[in-house]
Amino acid sequence: MKMLIALTALIPTIALAQSPFDGTWKARLDSLKFEGKPDVWELKNGKFTCTSCVPSYTIKADGTDQAVPEHTTVDHQMVKVVNATTIERTFKKAGKVTGTNSYSVSADGTKLAGKFVDYTGKVPVSGSFTEKRVAPAGAGAHAISGSWMNDAVPEVTEAALVVAFTSTPNGLRMSNNGRTYDAKFDGKEYPVTGDTTQTTVTLRKVSDRVIEESDHQEGKVYDIVTMTVAADGKTITSVDVDPVHGTKTTVVYAKQP
């Protein structure tokens, strides 16, 4: 993260040439596209099961903290049934709340509206999202049950949308909501500082306008992100493939003045 000014004179000028990635970029929420496997839940007889989670688990849905398979941001979860169409989930790690989600199903049962707060960055990030039903709930299950596919994200806190890139000799530096990495195009893992998820990244330069980033957590690759700068240099299209959960998310970032 720190670059000694005294050493810059030793670096060839061409190595410091500006990359098409350099600058500040902001995600366009209207460009989001979701593909792949849906969220699959069942809430029945006082128990909540997340089938699409890796690994899947079943816990009591009684409004108390329940142990779940430990991950970088969660070791306990609370599921609270608000009413026949609404539930709330609270995620904790080491006793600290790392995130909250609320879900409400429409009267016809085909749409889900949600709100979230994520506390894993420098500042909390909140927003809303919608999902559409792709498989029905089982008999006698809560309305939240069944399979749901991400549909749209109408709003998200500004801090989550803005990312800055700076080219470095044979590498790239990234900054987003207190999280940073300074990685080389050498296939090695580099830490994401300021990140409670303990993520490391590897970078591969495909071409001057295309970079592939692989995100590692707990010894597994959780995301393979291909970032492509448009020929006019005004946008970056990011395609995020999650091989663990079987999903793909595409979003376009617009360059900021």
Side-chain angles (χ1 to χ4, degrees):
M1 302 306 295
K2 296 181 179 178
M3 185 176 293
L4 298 178
I5 296 177
L7 294 181
T8 58
L10 302 179
I11 301 172
T13 302
I14 190 170
L16 295 178
Q18 190 175 50
S19 159
F21 286 86
D22 282 9
T24 300
W25 307 80
K26 184 177 179 179
R28 286 175 28 204
L29 295 178
D30 62 350
S31 71
L32 277 165
K33 295 180 181 179
F34 303 97
E35 301 173 69
K37 297 179 180 179
D39 292 323
V40 183
W41 307 312
E42 182 180 67
L43 178 52
K44 186 177 181 180
N45 298 328
K47 293 185 177 180
F48 175 82
T49 298
C50 182
T51 303
S52 55
C53 294
V54 180
S56 60
Y57 60 83
T58 298
I59 58 175
K60 293 179 180 179
D62 60 1
T64 65
D65 289 346
Q66 301 287 309
V68 293
E70 186 170 0
H71 189 45
T72 53
T73 60
V74 62
D75 55 22
H76 283 76
Q77 182 183 159
M78 180 271 285
V79 177
K80 178 182 178 181
V81 179
V82 177
N83 55 43
T85 59
T86 302
I87 72 166
E88 296 175 351
R89 298 167 74 188
T90 300
F91 307 91
K92 291 183 178 181
K93 181 66 179 283
K96 183 179 180 180
V97 175
T98 56
T100 62
N101 283 7
S102 66
Y103 312 83
S104 293
V105 180
S106 61
D108 65 3
T110 63
K111 294 285 187 178
L112 180 152
K115 294 184 178 181
F116 71 90
V117 182
D118 185 319
Y119 297 98
T120 61
K122 182 179 180 180
V123 299
V125 169
S126 60
S128 62
F129 60 92
T130 60
E131 300 191 26
K132 55 186 178 182
R133 185 181 290 282
V134 293
H142 187 276
I144 201 72
S145 305
S147 298
W148 301 90
M149 191 67 196
N150 289 319
D151 188 33
V153 181
E155 56 183 347
V156 177
T157 306
E158 182 88 359
L161 302 177
V162 178
V163 60
F165 292 115
T166 305
S167 55
T168 63
N170 194 39
L172 191 70
R173 183 182 301 132
M174 183 282 304
S175 177
N176 164 255
N177 192 20
R179 302 180 178 94
T180 61
Y181 67 67
D182 195 348
K184 302 292 185 184
F185 302 126
D186 58 7
K188 297 180 180 178
E189 291 186 37
Y190 292 86
V192 180
T193 60
D195 180 25
T196 59
T197 64
Q198 303 168 26
T199 300
T200 61
V201 303
T202 59
L203 294 182
R204 183 171 72 93
K205 186 176 181 180
V206 180
S207 69
D208 286 344
R209 296 191 296 108
V210 182
I211 291 174
E212 182 183 274
E213 172 187 321
S214 296
D215 298 339
H216 305 250
Q217 293 179 3
E218 300 175 328
K220 295 181 180 179
V221 175
Y222 270 78
D223 293 282
I224 301 172
V225 186
T226 302
M227 300 176 287
T228 303
V229 179
D232 63 8
K234 295 181 179 180
T235 60
I236 292 176
T237 299
S238 171
V239 180
D240 183 340
V241 175
D242 181 342
V244 175
H245 297 91
T247 61
K248 181 168 77 170
T249 305
T250 302
V251 64
V252 175
Y253 289 80
K255 193 163 190 178
Q256 302 302 287

